[in-house]
C-alpha cells in the first residue's frame, strides 16, 4: 500500500505535473483563457448599462495586446498596477465611457486619448504625471476628471474646452495658483485643489457659479477673497490649514453654508487651523450664526 502511494506521488512530481502546477501558480487570467482556446471577449462583463473589463492589481508593467481588440469595452479599469506607459492603442477603444488608470507610474498620457470622444469619467490620480496633453480637450463629453496625487503645476489652455466637466480633482499636486482655464468650466460643481502650493484664490473664482463643493485645504492661502462669497450655491467650503487671518463681511451671502463644520465629510464652512485674528476664533467656536452676526455688525459699524 505504501509503495503504491509513493509511486502515485512520484508521478505527480514528474515533468508534466510540474508544468501544470507552474501554470496554475503563474498564469494570469487572460493567459489562462487564451491557452484554453477561449475568446478574450469571454473575460468581458456585460452589465445592465455597460460592458466592462477589469485588470485591477495584477502587478502589470505592460498591457496585454489582446485588450486593444476589445472594441466594445465601455468601462476599463487598469488601476493599481505598475504601468509606466499607456500605449497609443488606447485610442482604438472608441466606445470607452469610463477609464480608470489610478495608482500606476504613468508620466504622461498619449495624444491618442483624443480619440475617446465618448469618455465621461477619467481617473489618473496617484501617478507621476508632470503634464496633461492638450489633446485631452477633444474629449468634450468628459464630466468627471481626477488628476490628484501627481506632479502637475499647470494645465493646457485648451482645457477650457472641457465645458461639460462637473467634478475636477487637482489636489496633491504642485499648483502655485488655480489654472486660468479652470475658471472657464461653467458646469463645475466640485473643485478640489487641496494640498498644493496656493497662496491666493483669484477673483475669477466667482465665474464658477455652479460650484457646490470647493476644497482648498492645506495650502498657504493668505486671505478669504470676497469673490468667494458670490458663489451662493456653495454647500461645502473647506479652507482648513491655511494662513487666513480675517473673514469677509459678506460671508452671510453664502446662505447654503449652514454651519461651521469640523468633520471633513460634513457640509458647511471649514475654517479651522488658520491664524484667525481675535475675536474670530471664539466666534467660530460659537457657530456660524454667531460668526455671521458679528461680521454683519462689524460692516455696519
Amino acid at each position: 500500500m505504501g509503495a503504491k502511494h509513493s509511486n502515485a506521488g512520484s508521478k505527480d512530481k514528474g515533468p508534466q505535473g510540474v508544468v501544470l502546477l507552474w501554470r496554475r501558480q503563474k498564469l494570469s487570467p487572460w493567459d489562462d483563457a487564451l491557452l484554453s482556446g477561449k475568446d478574450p471577449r469571454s473575460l468581458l462583463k456585460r452589465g445592465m448599462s455597460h460592458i466592462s473589463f477589469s485588470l485591477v492589481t495584477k502587478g502589470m508593467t505592460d498591457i496585454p495586446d489582446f485588450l486593444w481588440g476589445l472594441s466594445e469595452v465601455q468601462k476599463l479599469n487598469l488601476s493599481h498596477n505598475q504601468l509606466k506607459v499607456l500605449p497609443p492603442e488606447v485610442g482604438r477603444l472608441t466606445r470607452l465611457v469610463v477609464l480608470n488608470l489610478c495608482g500606476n507610474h504613468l508620466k504622461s498620457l498619449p495624444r491618442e486619448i483624443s480619440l475617446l470622444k465618448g469618455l465621461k469619467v477619467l481617473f489618473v490620480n496617484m501617478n507621476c504625471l508632470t503634464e496633461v496633453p492638450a489633446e485631452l480637450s477633444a474629449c468634450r463629453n468628459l464630466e468627471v476628471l481626477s488628476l490628484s496625487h501627481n506632479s502637475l503645476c499647470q494645465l493646457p489652455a485648451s482645457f477650457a474646452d472641457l465645458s461639460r466637466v462637473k467634478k475636477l480633482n487637482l489636489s496633491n499636486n504642485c499648483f502655485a495658483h488655480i489654472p486660468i482655464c479652470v475658471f472657464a468650466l461653467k458646469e463645475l460643481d466640485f473643485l478640489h485643489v487641496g494640498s498644493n502650493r496656493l497662496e491666493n484664490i483669484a477673483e475669477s473664482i466667482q465665474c464658477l457659479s455652479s460650484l457646490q463643493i470647493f476644497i482648498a485645504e492645506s495650502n498657504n492661502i493668505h486671505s478669504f477673497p470676497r469673490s468667494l462669497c458670490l458663489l451662493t450655491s456653495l454647500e461645502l467650503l473647506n479652507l482648513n490649514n491655511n494662513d487666513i487671518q480675517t473673514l469677509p463681511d459678506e460671508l452671510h451671502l453664502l446662505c447654503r453654508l449652514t454651519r461651521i463644520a469640523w468633520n471633513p465629510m460634513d457640509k458647511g464652512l471649514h475654517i479651522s487651523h488658520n491664524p484667525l485674528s481675535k475675536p474670530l476664533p471664539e466666534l467660530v467656536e460659537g457657530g456660524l450664526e454667531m460668526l455671521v452676526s458679528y461680521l454683519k455688525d462689524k460692516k455696519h459699524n
Side-chain angles (χ1 to χ4, degrees), residues 213-224:
I213 296 176
F214 179 48
I215 303 171
E217 65 177 346
S218 300
N219 280 285
N220 194 32
I221 297 168
H222 301 304
S223 64
F224 188 131

Side-chain angles (χ1 to χ4, degrees), residues 9-24:
S10 64
K11 286 181 181 179
D12 288 342
K13 293 178 181 179
Q16 187 176 1
V18 171
V19 170
L20 289 174
L21 181 60
W22 182 86
R23 282 181 180 174
R24 281 198 293 270

Side-chain angles (χ1 to χ4, degrees), residues 63 68 78 83-88 90 99 101 106 108-110 113:
I63 300 171
W68 313 126
L78 300 174
L83 302 175
K84 293 183 179 180
V85 176
L86 180 66
V90 71
L99 177 56
L101 300 167
L106 301 175
S108 62
L109 296 174
I113 202 164

Side-chain angles (χ1 to χ4, degrees), residues 45-52 72 74-75 95 97-98:
K45 293 184 179 180
R46 300 177 184 272
M48 293 293 290
S49 57
H50 292 104
I51 298 173
S52 61
E72 59 265 65
Q74 295 170 293
K75 295 176 69 174
R95 298 186 187 179
V97 176
V98 179

Side-chain angles (χ1 to χ4, degrees), residues 53-64:
F53 190 83
S54 178
L55 294 175
V56 178
T57 321
K58 300 296 184 184
M60 297 186 304
T61 55
D62 297 294
I63 300 171

